[in-house]
Amino acid sequence: MDIKATVLDILNDLTGSDVSGAMDDNLFDSGIMDSMASVQLLLSLQSELGVNVPVSEFERSEWDTPNKIIAKVESLA
């Protein structure tokens, strides 16, 4: 399974934005993601990749760019 492609697909579906050209851009500072999108992201990661991250353990600074999200998912998968 290609984690990077799956994460990018999930982000694209959630945000309506292709973030593949902005892998180190802060998704929260740019307004692409908000707290609701964070919850949806975690649910999608769980259903599509089997990665379970409780909202209580979600540290926004560790999940604020596409590259960080991919690295975090890879470390949990």
Side-chain angles (χ1 to χ4, degrees):
M1 176 177 293
D2 187 343
I3 289 176
K4 179 179 179 179
T6 303
V7 169
L8 289 175
D9 284 347
I10 290 169
L11 287 172
N12 191 6
D13 289 346
L14 282 180
T15 66
S17 301
D18 178 5
V19 297
S20 62
M23 296 297 287
D24 291 310
D25 286 7
N26 187 305
L27 299 173
F28 296 99
D29 289 351
S30 63
I32 293 174
M33 293 268 294
D34 58 18
S35 57
M36 191 61 180
S38 300
V39 173
Q40 292 173 317
L41 171 66
L42 297 181
L43 293 172
S44 296
L45 292 173
Q46 183 174 9
S47 65
E48 295 191 32
L49 294 170
V51 174
N52 188 18
V53 181
V55 175
S56 60
E57 294 179 20
F58 180 84
E59 183 60 51
R60 190 159 134 169
S61 63
E62 297 176 4
W63 297 81
D64 58 6
T65 72
N67 274 332
K68 285 184 184 178
I69 295 168
I70 291 163
K72 194 76 173 163
V73 171
E74 287 175 341
S75 74
L76 296 169

